[in-house]
Amino acid sequence: FMDRELNNLLSLGFSPADCVRMTSENPAALIPNCETGRLEEGCLFDAVFLDSEWQVRGTAIGGRLNMHQ
């Protein structure tokens, strides 16, 4: 889902930095728990790893790394 949203936003002319912010940081800010959604010491987070074509190549969810082929 995230990779499709990123590609849609890129095709509309948004910068890569703005696209990542709109699909990750902004939604995380809606979560009422202030310890999630930030990549900072002491905070919980999940991560999505993208390749140079903005396709999902892996995830880290709940401390478990899952790399896609």
Side-chain angles (χ1 to χ4, degrees):
F1 176 76
M2 183 181 178
D3 54 338
R4 286 184 306 208
E5 294 302 319
L6 274 167
N7 282 306
N8 288 339
L9 292 167
L10 287 166
S11 71
L12 292 172
F14 290 98
S15 73
D18 285 341
C19 293
V20 170
R21 196 171 6 269
M22 286 188 272
T23 58
S24 60
E25 185 179 319
N26 291 352
L30 298 175
I31 299 171
N33 180 350
C34 65
E35 294 178 355
T36 62
R38 296 187 320 269
L39 188 54
E40 296 176 9
E41 185 177 342
C43 294
L44 303 173
F45 71 96
D46 296 334
V48 177
F49 304 100
L50 306 169
D51 64 17
S52 61
E53 300 295 317
W54 299 98
Q55 300 302 308
V56 176
R57 292 295 170 231
T59 56
I61 300 173
R64 294 182 155 247
L65 181 62
N66 179 25
M67 297 306 291
H68 304 199
Q69 292 185 359

